[in-house]
């Protein structure tokens, strides 16, 4: 096995190992992904991103793999990072990036931030999905003090809980229990949100298959949509996460726009020993 080049990027501290699989396919097992995700013996990341040739005429295809090795549908912060990297390579600000749930349109702005059109928010119980039919505006599911969620799918499923004091919520304890609630057959991302004003809110997140992260782009999108549905927010607002602030807009035609910064931390090569250490180790 040869050395595998990578780029370490992050969006507000939500960090990624980005691999370029356009010239040659990259196939890693779940055990190998977990080994690379190990922050002590690997590189460490919230998600691994594999860039592949486009399938339907876009600029590239993006695969998203969680730190536990499982593949997921969407990641807003990762999309911004990939867009910034590919935009520099292509020498143009606007790109289209294919994902398993559709094509996302991106634009690198004059100030260096990146805007992603995440598509339309999905609100039906079967679109989240939930295990049975119900109104997704107020879903009775969770663990005290997170007991009533508003559910939104922004490429992946989210349960948004509104609280008076977001810092007091024990997300590490509650998050995994809600993630695996039988009501959520594909598991769920969990957000605790405190409304600060009609145009500003504070959010903390437990990401399925990852845990607590400093930022979650789709979680910020879901939180804004949920807040608007509850009558708590205007259609455009700043969402303050542990790692910084994203600006989210839910347009009148139902599309969700996310704008925020990105950064390259470093470039490197994965040594064969790191990847091969997972083979047969049971990790």
């Amino acid at each position: 096995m040869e050395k595998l080049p990578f780029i370490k990027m992050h969006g507000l501290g939500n960090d990624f190992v980005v691999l370029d699989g356009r010239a040659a396919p990259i196939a890693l097992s779940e055990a190998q992904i977990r080994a690379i995700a190990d922050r002590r013996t690997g590189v460490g990341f919230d998600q691994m991103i594999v860039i592949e040739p486009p399938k339907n005429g876009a600029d590239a295809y993006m695969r998203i793999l969680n730190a536990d090795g499982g593949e997921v549908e969407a990641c807003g912060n990762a999309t911004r990072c990939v867009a910034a990297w590919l935009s520099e390579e292509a020498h143009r600000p606007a790109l289209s990036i294919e994902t398993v749930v559709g094509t996302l349109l991106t634009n690198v702005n004059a100030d260096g931030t990146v805007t992603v059109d995440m598509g339309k928010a999905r609100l039906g119980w079967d679109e989240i999905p939930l295990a049975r039919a119900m109104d997704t505006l107020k879903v009775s599911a969770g663990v005290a003090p997170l007991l009533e969620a508003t559910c939104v799918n922004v490429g992946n499923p989210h349960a948004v809980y509104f609280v008076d004091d977001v810092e007091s919520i024990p997300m590490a304890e509650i998050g995994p229990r809600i993630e695996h609630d039988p009501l959520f057959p594909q598991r769920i991302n969990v957000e605790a949100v405190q409304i600060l004003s009609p145009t500003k809110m504070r959010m903390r997140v437990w990401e399925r298959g990852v845990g607590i992260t400093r930022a979650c782009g789709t979680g910020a999108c879901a939180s804004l949509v949920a807040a608007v549905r509850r009558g708590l927010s205007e259609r455009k607002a700043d969402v303050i996460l542990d790692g910084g602030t994203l600006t989210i807009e839910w347009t009148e035609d139902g599309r969700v726009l996310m704008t925020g910064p990105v950064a390259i931390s470093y470039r490197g090569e994965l040594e064969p020993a790191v990847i091969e250490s997972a083979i047969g180790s049971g990790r």
Side-chain angles (χ1 to χ4, degrees):
M1 184 177 292
E2 298 180 352
K3 293 182 179 181
L4 188 59
F6 71 92
I7 300 177
K8 182 71 180 288
M9 305 187 75
H10 74 89
L12 300 180
N14 188 191
D15 64 332
F16 314 102
V17 162
V18 184
L19 306 176
D20 190 349
R22 290 174 293 176
I26 295 174
L28 297 170
S29 69
E30 290 190 2
Q32 289 171 321
I33 293 167
R34 291 195 295 271
I36 299 167
D38 192 302
R39 295 188 182 274
R40 292 181 175 84
T41 59
V43 179
F45 59 80
D46 293 325
Q47 280 86 23
M48 174 182 285
I49 309 301
V50 181
I51 308 304
E52 298 178 348
K55 305 178 188 300
N56 297 300
D59 291 288
Y61 185 90
M62 180 177 75
R63 292 181 61 213
I64 306 162
L65 303 157
N66 273 343
D68 67 357
E71 187 163 0
V72 293
E73 307 92 336
C75 178
N77 285 321
T79 305
R80 293 202 324 279
C81 287
V82 169
W85 176 38
L86 295 181
S87 176
E88 182 177 2
E89 178 184 87
H91 303 291
R92 52 189 170 87
L95 297 174
S96 57
I97 299 174
E98 295 174 10
T99 71
V100 69
V101 292
T103 299
L104 304 177
L105 303 179
T106 68
N107 190 77
V108 178
N109 304 309
D111 63 358
T113 61
V114 180
T115 298
V116 180
D117 181 342
M118 297 296 294
K120 291 191 174 184
R122 287 171 277 176
L123 309 176
W125 71 272
D126 55 338
E127 296 176 307
I128 303 302
L130 303 179
R132 56 185 182 274
M134 65 181 67
D135 184 353
T136 61
L137 181 63
K138 294 184 178 181
V139 175
S140 296
V143 178
L146 304 184
L147 294 174
E148 185 180 80
T150 295
C151 293
V152 182
N153 188 307
V154 192
N156 54 7
H158 295 266
V160 181
Y161 296 83
F162 294 98
V163 300
D164 294 330
D165 179 12
V166 73
E167 308 299 340
S168 69
I169 305 300
M171 292 296 287
E173 174 188 342
I174 295 176
R177 296 169 66 184
I178 299 176
E179 175 190 351
H180 293 278
D181 189 301
L183 182 62
F184 309 117
Q186 295 181 11
R187 297 185 293 160
I188 201 84
N189 298 283
V190 182
E191 285 80 29
V193 178
Q194 180 179 346
I195 300 297
L196 304 177
S197 78
T199 59
K200 185 178 294 186
M201 64 190 74
R202 170 78 171 99
M203 184 197 93
R204 294 178 62 213
V205 61
W206 174 273
E207 290 196 54
R208 61 174 180 167
V210 181
I212 292 175
T213 60
R214 295 185 63 194
C216 176
T218 57
C221 292
S223 295
L224 183 279
V225 171
V228 173
R229 293 182 70 199
R230 288 282 192 102
L232 302 173
S233 172
E234 295 183 6
R235 298 189 76 93
K236 183 176 182 179
D238 289 337
V239 182
I240 304 169
L241 305 98
D242 289 348
T245 300
L246 294 172
T247 299
I248 311 297
E249 181 178 5
W250 190 22
T251 65
E252 293 293 341
D253 64 353
R255 307 190 73 81
V256 184
L257 308 179
M258 174 188 57
T259 301
V262 303
I264 293 178
S265 301
Y266 55 87
R267 301 171 189 264
E269 293 180 325
L270 289 165
E271 295 287 341
V274 174
I275 301 172
E276 292 173 351
S277 67
I279 299 176
S281 69
R283 284 196 291 173

